[in-house]
Amino acid sequence: MSEASNGLNHPEQISNEFSWKLGPRDFILKNLKYIPWLIISCAIALVLAWLKIRYSTPIYKVQSSMMINNQGSAGSKGDRFDALLMSPGSENLSNEIQILISRPVLQRVINNIQLTTRYYNIGKVRTSLLYPESPFSLEIISPSKSSQNFGLNITILNDQQYRINKETTIHVFGEIIVVADNRVTLVRDPRIDLKIFASPVFYVSHASAATVANEYLGSVNITQGNDQSTILLLSFQTENPELGKNFLNALMGVYDSLNIEDKNRISINSLKFINTNLDTLESQLNILEGRVQNFKVSHEMFDVEGQSKIYLGNAEQGQTNIDLMDVKITVANLLQEYINDPKKSHELVPINMGIEEPALANRISEYNRLQLERDNNLKTTTQNNPMIQAYDATLEKIRRDMSEALNNVKNGYAIARNKMLQQKGDMEGKLRAMPGKTLQLGNVARRQKILEELYSFLLQKKLEISISSASTISNSTVVEPALESSNAISPNKNKIYSSYLMFGLLIPVGLIAFRELLRDKVNNRIEVERRTKTPILGEIGHSDDDSSLVVLRNSRRFVAEQFRILRSNLKYMTVKKDNPSILVTSSFSGEGKSFISINMASVLALSGKKTVIIEFDIRKPKIMESLNMKRKMGITNYIIGRAQFKDIVMQVPGFDSLYVIPCGPIPPNPAELLLDPKLDDLMREARENFDVIVMDTAPVGLVSDSISLGKYADCTLFVVRMNHTYRKILRLVEDLYQEKKLPGLSLILNDVKLEGGYYSGYYGGYGYYGGYGYGIESGYFEKPAKKKRALPHKQVIRWWGKWFG
């Protein structure tokens, strides 16, 4: 049989031949046994996700939009027309958003939609808000003076009776009861059937508008459509879509009414100013009219002579100009008195009073704008707020600027009037010849004309302001009324299912990773190859047989076939040796060293070679016990000279070519005993009488017996048991291999268990093909006997060792 046909390589080539990486397919197959745990964990996670979705209160999102008109309604018709219709100027959208979500505005919304009293139906799992209708309503007959909030648990017994909280007293709908010093009554709505509710238990909550506004403050969200847009997007999250629609529609309605109220305040203040001055002028005109009439009657006044008509006309024209200037000065004085009046420090200043001074008009517009902003901010704060104080300081400065501007205007008017007086004086000098009485009458008439013109001017302004007040409109437009979303935004089914499924996967994966973190023992062949360059001679699978001897003549067990493959590989380790001596050792007890020694010797004996097992583990011998043979004289008897070689050799029952040399009585100094020269004679006679010698020695990790016996061996088999041998032991193996302290050192991986349909070594003999129909279940091997079920406590210990051993 050639090397290629056996799939074997020389020991020097073994490490390089098998140093392949673990591919994705092999990794999946290795962890295939954990798939049931993954499936169970994912199933539990999905069930928990379904329960969360099933019993979570759905939250809906209601949306609407409104446009804020930043430009005046008149557009390009001119500033005078904009002022006449009281059109809104440019609005700051950030300020408008803050006004919309301010507590005073929300309180008005709460009162408008009657949300101070709320009704809930208490179910077995969750509580639902009832809106806009409920099976009964709470009516407050006389509220308490403290106006404190209160709530009631109502259990409806039938259409006429109910019980409050846990009281045993039964009340009747319509009966007056006292709750928190409030006299209230519950009124049953017969239109609503009680059967539609999850339970007959309800909860009634009555709170002030301020309290309810604070609760819903976080549910309202207002954003700007984009940087260039003046459209505001309003949204409201609630479990009751009808409540959300009513809330947003009421919010936009309240905002409209606030805008109209602010504009009407300007009109009211202007009309108040005009009406006050009209009354004064009317009284003065009545007095002048009486004086003129009396003067004419008492002095019998006639027409002026024709010669003086030209001079009189020029004088009258000059006086007309003076009169017009006097009107302007009078208006300026009235306006200055109004501005300087401390009582009107927070009143709006009338506009368009006939004073043609751009700087003054701009200051009046700025003053009125700041006054409105101050009033709007006072809705959400107090006068002690630094922002309000800043407004007051700015307004005071503008008032001083307006008063100073009026002084400058009056000074200009005075200079112009003086010039007109000078011109008029020239004309009067030419009219001195006219009768003095005629001149006096003219002066009274001119005074009367001034008052009539001023009276007419104020009447015109009153009409204009009345028209603008009647045509006042809001600066906002509802683009889209409130609409509810068809699907609930919470709970998010896809997000919940995906997150719970992720946790369902992470938990078992985390446990597996935690297990790997705690594991400090060798788990698979690749791990061995990564930690040591020592060649691996073969792998031996897990055996559940009660007997340690599994390699029998007619045995077709899977483990027996692995030993036969190991025998084939061993030929290349002892190819130049006629009577090879094989040393079997391990790191510590329990790794299957004696099991390997017995079955290795058995498979060699079945090939026709006369084989002997020498029980060199004098400290803790197991060979004779494992073969169910009685102890007799052995190595210790031979070394002390109390037995001959033929006296200590024992044949294994059932084998023609298998023998055992037991250790004999356990001595007190086993290490010194194995250094005795007599041991050389023992090994010489063994080589002369047997074809193969298998030496079962003590663990090299505990004592130095194996190192001492290494001089008699041709090759060394170091047993590494999966999930039993510590990883740090591989450092010892690597040192032994590099320093050549043991001859022909190679590894045997013992107790390689089937994982994911194939052995954890991934290859080596038939073990690699376990997942492809060529392993234990392929039909080529005998099935192992079924192992008896372990007791529960032993199963727990075994499970713990499997995971964390």
Side-chain angles (χ1 to χ4, degrees), residues 86 257-273 338 346-350 368 370-379 465 469 472:
M86 309 294 287
S257 63
L258 287 176
N259 283 324
I260 295 174
E261 290 173 5
D262 288 340
K263 294 174 182 178
N264 287 336
R265 286 180 58 198
I266 299 177
S267 300
I268 292 171
N269 281 276
S270 298
L271 289 174
K272 186 185 297 184
F273 171 82
Y338 182 86
H346 295 300
E347 298 290 336
L348 298 174
V349 177
N368 288 339
L370 292 177
Q371 194 68 258
L372 288 176
E373 288 184 4
R374 178 185 179 275
D375 293 345
N376 286 334
N377 284 307
L378 277 175
K379 296 176 182 179
I465 293 174
S469 178
T472 299

Side-chain angles (χ1 to χ4, degrees), residues 201 324 398 454 488 495 652 715 751 760:
V201 182
L324 180 61
I398 295 176
L454 181 58
K495 184 177 180 180
V652 178
C715 67
D751 199 15
S760 63

